[in-house]
mmCIF file of all heavy atoms in Angstrom:
data_model
loop_
_atom_site.group_PDB
_atom_site.id
_atom_site.type_symbol
_atom_site.label_atom_id
_atom_site.label_comp_id
_atom_site.label_asym_id
_atom_site.label_seq_id
_atom_site.Cartn_x
_atom_site.Cartn_y
_atom_site.Cartn_z
ATOM 1 N N PHE A 1 2.597 214.414 164.992
ATOM 2 C CA PHE A 1 2.890 215.799 165.360
ATOM 3 C C PHE A 1 4.252 215.945 166.024
ATOM 4 O O PHE A 1 4.777 217.054 166.109
ATOM 5 C CB PHE A 1 1.797 216.335 166.297
ATOM 6 C CG PHE A 1 0.578 216.837 165.575
ATOM 7 C CD1 PHE A 1 -0.006 216.095 164.565
ATOM 8 C CD2 PHE A 1 0.010 218.060 165.910
ATOM 9 C CE1 PHE A 1 -1.131 216.545 163.903
ATOM 10 C CE2 PHE A 1 -1.109 218.522 165.248
ATOM 11 C CZ PHE A 1 -1.690 217.766 164.236
ATOM 12 N N THR A 2 4.814 214.844 166.519
ATOM 13 C CA THR A 2 6.127 214.941 167.159
ATOM 14 C C THR A 2 7.220 215.257 166.151
ATOM 15 O O THR A 2 8.333 215.624 166.539
ATOM 16 C CB THR A 2 6.472 213.626 167.875
ATOM 17 O OG1 THR A 2 6.534 212.556 166.919
ATOM 18 C CG2 THR A 2 5.416 213.287 168.927
ATOM 19 N N GLN A 3 6.930 215.133 164.844
ATOM 20 C CA GLN A 3 7.933 215.369 163.810
ATOM 21 C C GLN A 3 7.936 216.803 163.293
ATOM 22 O O GLN A 3 8.751 217.154 162.450
ATOM 23 C CB GLN A 3 7.687 214.408 162.626
ATOM 24 C CG GLN A 3 7.464 212.960 163.008
ATOM 25 C CD GLN A 3 8.672 212.372 163.711
ATOM 26 O OE1 GLN A 3 9.812 212.624 163.326
ATOM 27 N NE2 GLN A 3 8.419 211.589 164.755
ATOM 28 N N PHE A 4 7.024 217.638 163.786
ATOM 29 C CA PHE A 4 6.867 218.978 163.218
ATOM 30 C C PHE A 4 7.713 220.034 163.895
ATOM 31 O O PHE A 4 7.674 221.203 163.507
ATOM 32 C CB PHE A 4 5.396 219.408 163.278
ATOM 33 C CG PHE A 4 4.471 218.566 162.433
ATOM 34 C CD1 PHE A 4 3.106 218.553 162.678
ATOM 35 C CD2 PHE A 4 4.961 217.762 161.405
ATOM 36 C CE1 PHE A 4 2.256 217.777 161.911
ATOM 37 C CE2 PHE A 4 4.119 216.987 160.640
ATOM 38 C CZ PHE A 4 2.760 216.983 160.885
ATOM 39 N N GLY A 5 8.459 219.660 164.901
ATOM 40 C CA GLY A 5 9.284 220.647 165.587
ATOM 41 C C GLY A 5 8.492 221.640 166.404
ATOM 42 O O GLY A 5 8.956 222.759 166.647
ATOM 43 N N LEU A 6 7.300 221.271 166.826
ATOM 44 C CA LEU A 6 6.456 222.170 167.614
ATOM 45 C C LEU A 6 6.955 222.243 169.054
ATOM 46 O O LEU A 6 7.595 221.314 169.555
ATOM 47 C CB LEU A 6 5.007 221.665 167.608
ATOM 48 C CG LEU A 6 4.323 221.617 166.242
ATOM 49 C CD1 LEU A 6 2.982 220.887 166.354
ATOM 50 C CD2 LEU A 6 4.106 223.025 165.708
ATOM 51 N N PRO A 7 6.685 223.364 169.731
ATOM 52 C CA PRO A 7 7.027 223.427 171.165
ATOM 53 C C PRO A 7 6.328 222.305 171.916
ATOM 54 O O PRO A 7 5.183 221.978 171.630
ATOM 55 C CB PRO A 7 6.484 224.803 171.584
ATOM 56 C CG PRO A 7 6.413 225.596 170.315
ATOM 57 C CD PRO A 7 6.105 224.622 169.228
ATOM 58 N N ASN A 8 7.018 221.710 172.867
ATOM 59 C CA ASN A 8 6.484 220.589 173.632
ATOM 60 C C ASN A 8 6.017 219.454 172.711
ATOM 61 O O ASN A 8 5.037 218.760 173.008
ATOM 62 C CB ASN A 8 5.308 221.035 174.503
ATOM 63 C CG ASN A 8 5.696 222.112 175.505
ATOM 64 O OD1 ASN A 8 6.653 221.942 176.244
ATOM 65 N ND2 ASN A 8 4.974 223.214 175.494
ATOM 66 N N GLY A 9 6.716 219.276 171.608
ATOM 67 C CA GLY A 9 6.290 218.306 170.609
ATOM 68 C C GLY A 9 6.174 216.896 171.142
ATOM 69 O O GLY A 9 5.300 216.138 170.709
ATOM 70 N N ALA A 10 7.033 216.535 172.099
ATOM 71 C CA ALA A 10 7.002 215.171 172.625
ATOM 72 C C ALA A 10 5.689 214.876 173.341
ATOM 73 O O ALA A 10 5.284 213.710 173.467
ATOM 74 C CB ALA A 10 8.173 214.948 173.572
ATOM 75 N N LEU A 11 4.980 215.914 173.796
ATOM 76 C CA LEU A 11 3.747 215.709 174.546
ATOM 77 C C LEU A 11 2.587 215.272 173.664
ATOM 78 O O LEU A 11 1.535 214.897 174.181
ATOM 79 C CB LEU A 11 3.364 216.986 175.293
ATOM 80 C CG LEU A 11 4.356 217.447 176.360
ATOM 81 C CD1 LEU A 11 3.859 218.709 177.031
ATOM 82 C CD2 LEU A 11 4.593 216.353 177.395
ATOM 83 N N PHE A 12 2.767 215.321 172.344
ATOM 84 C CA PHE A 12 1.708 214.845 171.467
ATOM 85 C C PHE A 12 1.635 213.317 171.431
ATOM 86 O O PHE A 12 0.704 212.754 170.862
ATOM 87 C CB PHE A 12 1.908 215.383 170.049
ATOM 88 C CG PHE A 12 1.591 216.841 169.914
ATOM 89 C CD1 PHE A 12 2.595 217.785 169.943
ATOM 90 C CD2 PHE A 12 0.279 217.268 169.806
ATOM 91 C CE1 PHE A 12 2.298 219.137 169.837
ATOM 92 C CE2 PHE A 12 -0.024 218.613 169.700
ATOM 93 C CZ PHE A 12 0.990 219.550 169.716
ATOM 94 N N ASP A 13 2.629 212.663 172.026
ATOM 95 C CA ASP A 13 2.607 211.197 172.095
ATOM 96 C C ASP A 13 3.153 210.755 173.450
ATOM 97 O O ASP A 13 4.002 209.885 173.541
ATOM 98 C CB ASP A 13 3.450 210.607 170.962
ATOM 99 C CG ASP A 13 3.277 209.092 170.848
ATOM 100 O OD1 ASP A 13 2.230 208.589 171.269
ATOM 101 O OD2 ASP A 13 4.212 208.424 170.366
ATOM 102 N N GLU A 14 2.636 211.363 174.505
ATOM 103 C CA GLU A 14 3.141 211.050 175.836
ATOM 104 C C GLU A 14 2.399 209.860 176.437
ATOM 105 O O GLU A 14 1.297 209.500 176.020
ATOM 106 C CB GLU A 14 2.992 212.251 176.763
ATOM 107 C CG GLU A 14 1.553 212.601 177.100
ATOM 108 C CD GLU A 14 1.448 213.703 178.134
ATOM 109 O OE1 GLU A 14 2.363 213.836 178.962
ATOM 110 O OE2 GLU A 14 0.436 214.436 178.110
ATOM 111 N N ASN A 15 3.021 209.261 177.429
ATOM 112 C CA ASN A 15 2.367 208.225 178.224
ATOM 113 C C ASN A 15 1.314 208.902 179.081
ATOM 114 O O ASN A 15 1.603 209.840 179.821
ATOM 115 C CB ASN A 15 3.402 207.521 179.103
ATOM 116 C CG ASN A 15 2.803 206.344 179.864
ATOM 117 O OD1 ASN A 15 1.653 206.370 180.285
ATOM 118 N ND2 ASN A 15 3.626 205.307 180.046
ATOM 119 N N VAL A 16 0.069 208.442 178.973
ATOM 120 C CA VAL A 16 -1.020 209.110 179.689
ATOM 121 C C VAL A 16 -0.788 209.106 181.195
ATOM 122 O O VAL A 16 -1.254 209.996 181.918
ATOM 123 C CB VAL A 16 -2.367 208.454 179.336
ATOM 124 C CG1 VAL A 16 -2.456 207.048 179.909
ATOM 125 C CG2 VAL A 16 -3.527 209.302 179.829
ATOM 126 N N ASN A 17 -0.032 208.131 181.701
ATOM 127 C CA ASN A 17 0.241 208.072 183.128
ATOM 128 C C ASN A 17 1.190 209.179 183.581
ATOM 129 O O ASN A 17 1.300 209.447 184.778
ATOM 130 C CB ASN A 17 0.828 206.705 183.505
ATOM 131 C CG ASN A 17 -0.154 205.577 183.262
ATOM 132 O OD1 ASN A 17 -1.288 205.639 183.714
ATOM 133 N ND2 ASN A 17 0.281 204.563 182.533
ATOM 134 N N ASP A 18 1.878 209.801 182.620
ATOM 135 C CA ASP A 18 2.786 210.897 182.948
ATOM 136 C C ASP A 18 2.163 212.258 182.695
ATOM 137 O O ASP A 18 2.795 213.285 182.924
ATOM 138 C CB ASP A 18 4.071 210.778 182.106
ATOM 139 C CG ASP A 18 4.818 209.484 182.374
ATOM 140 O OD1 ASP A 18 4.747 209.000 183.526
ATOM 141 O OD2 ASP A 18 5.438 208.946 181.436
ATOM 142 N N HIS A 19 0.923 212.276 182.226
ATOM 143 C CA HIS A 19 0.275 213.530 181.848
ATOM 144 C C HIS A 19 0.014 214.408 183.068
ATOM 145 O O HIS A 19 -0.490 213.934 184.093
ATOM 146 C CB HIS A 19 -1.039 213.234 181.130
ATOM 147 C CG HIS A 19 -1.745 214.452 180.619
ATOM 148 N ND1 HIS A 19 -1.233 215.228 179.609
ATOM 149 C CD2 HIS A 19 -2.920 215.022 180.975
ATOM 150 C CE1 HIS A 19 -2.067 216.213 179.361
ATOM 151 N NE2 HIS A 19 -3.104 216.112 180.188
ATOM 152 N N GLN A 20 0.365 215.687 182.972
ATOM 153 C CA GLN A 20 0.096 216.644 184.037
ATOM 154 C C GLN A 20 -1.260 217.297 183.777
ATOM 155 O O GLN A 20 -1.406 218.088 182.858
ATOM 156 C CB GLN A 20 1.207 217.703 184.069
ATOM 157 C CG GLN A 20 2.581 217.149 184.389
ATOM 158 C CD GLN A 20 2.627 216.503 185.767
ATOM 159 O OE1 GLN A 20 2.187 217.086 186.759
ATOM 160 N NE2 GLN A 20 3.179 215.298 185.834
ATOM 161 N N PHE A 21 -2.232 216.936 184.574
ATOM 162 C CA PHE A 21 -3.596 217.402 184.332
ATOM 163 C C PHE A 21 -3.767 218.846 184.776
ATOM 164 O O PHE A 21 -3.441 219.217 185.900
ATOM 165 C CB PHE A 21 -4.595 216.497 185.057
ATOM 166 C CG PHE A 21 -4.738 215.158 184.398
ATOM 167 C CD1 PHE A 21 -3.977 214.079 184.801
ATOM 168 C CD2 PHE A 21 -5.623 214.991 183.345
ATOM 169 C CE1 PHE A 21 -4.108 212.853 184.183
ATOM 170 C CE2 PHE A 21 -5.757 213.768 182.717
ATOM 171 C CZ PHE A 21 -4.997 212.697 183.139
ATOM 172 N N THR A 22 -4.281 219.651 183.843
ATOM 173 C CA THR A 22 -4.570 221.059 184.101
ATOM 174 C C THR A 22 -5.979 221.337 183.607
ATOM 175 O O THR A 22 -6.294 221.091 182.449
ATOM 176 C CB THR A 22 -3.576 221.977 183.374
ATOM 177 O OG1 THR A 22 -2.243 221.650 183.787
ATOM 178 C CG2 THR A 22 -3.858 223.433 183.696
ATOM 179 N N PHE A 23 -6.825 221.850 184.465
ATOM 180 C CA PHE A 23 -8.211 222.124 184.112
ATOM 181 C C PHE A 23 -8.363 223.619 183.877
ATOM 182 O O PHE A 23 -8.043 224.429 184.756
ATOM 183 C CB PHE A 23 -9.142 221.640 185.224
ATOM 184 C CG PHE A 23 -8.989 220.178 185.527
ATOM 185 C CD1 PHE A 23 -8.170 219.749 186.557
ATOM 186 C CD2 PHE A 23 -9.641 219.233 184.756
ATOM 187 C CE1 PHE A 23 -8.022 218.396 186.829
ATOM 188 C CE2 PHE A 23 -9.500 217.879 185.015
ATOM 189 C CZ PHE A 23 -8.686 217.456 186.051
ATOM 190 N N GLU A 24 -8.864 223.998 182.703
ATOM 191 C CA GLU A 24 -8.902 225.418 182.354
ATOM 192 C C GLU A 24 -10.076 225.755 181.440
ATOM 193 O O GLU A 24 -10.006 226.676 180.642
ATOM 194 C CB GLU A 24 -7.584 225.828 181.693
ATOM 195 C CG GLU A 24 -7.206 224.967 180.483
ATOM 196 C CD GLU A 24 -5.871 225.371 179.881
ATOM 197 O OE1 GLU A 24 -5.243 226.305 180.382
ATOM 198 O OE2 GLU A 24 -5.476 224.733 178.889
ATOM 199 N N ASN A 25 -11.174 225.038 181.540
ATOM 200 C CA ASN A 25 -12.335 225.353 180.713
ATOM 201 C C ASN A 25 -12.991 226.647 181.202
ATOM 202 O O ASN A 25 -12.888 227.021 182.372
ATOM 203 C CB ASN A 25 -13.349 224.204 180.748
ATOM 204 C CG ASN A 25 -13.603 223.691 182.153
ATOM 205 O OD1 ASN A 25 -12.718 223.070 182.748
ATOM 206 N ND2 ASN A 25 -14.782 223.956 182.682
ATOM 207 N N ASN A 26 -13.679 227.330 180.289
ATOM 208 C CA ASN A 26 -14.276 228.632 180.632
ATOM 209 C C ASN A 26 -15.727 228.528 181.080
ATOM 210 O O ASN A 26 -16.375 229.539 181.330
ATOM 211 C CB ASN A 26 -14.188 229.585 179.432
ATOM 212 C CG ASN A 26 -15.091 229.159 178.288
ATOM 213 O OD1 ASN A 26 -15.195 227.967 177.988
ATOM 214 N ND2 ASN A 26 -15.733 230.112 177.630
ATOM 215 N N ILE A 27 -16.257 227.296 181.187
ATOM 216 C CA ILE A 27 -17.627 227.068 181.640
ATOM 217 C C ILE A 27 -17.588 226.363 182.989
ATOM 218 O O ILE A 27 -16.865 225.378 183.168
ATOM 219 C CB ILE A 27 -18.413 226.201 180.634
ATOM 220 C CG1 ILE A 27 -18.501 226.902 179.276
ATOM 221 C CG2 ILE A 27 -19.805 225.883 181.168
ATOM 222 C CD1 ILE A 27 -19.366 228.149 179.272
#
């Protein structure tokens, strides 16, 4: 997915240790 030119495309193959956790479930 990093090759598709999508917004934030680099985040489709990010280092999990750099992931910014955001919780947003509706339940």
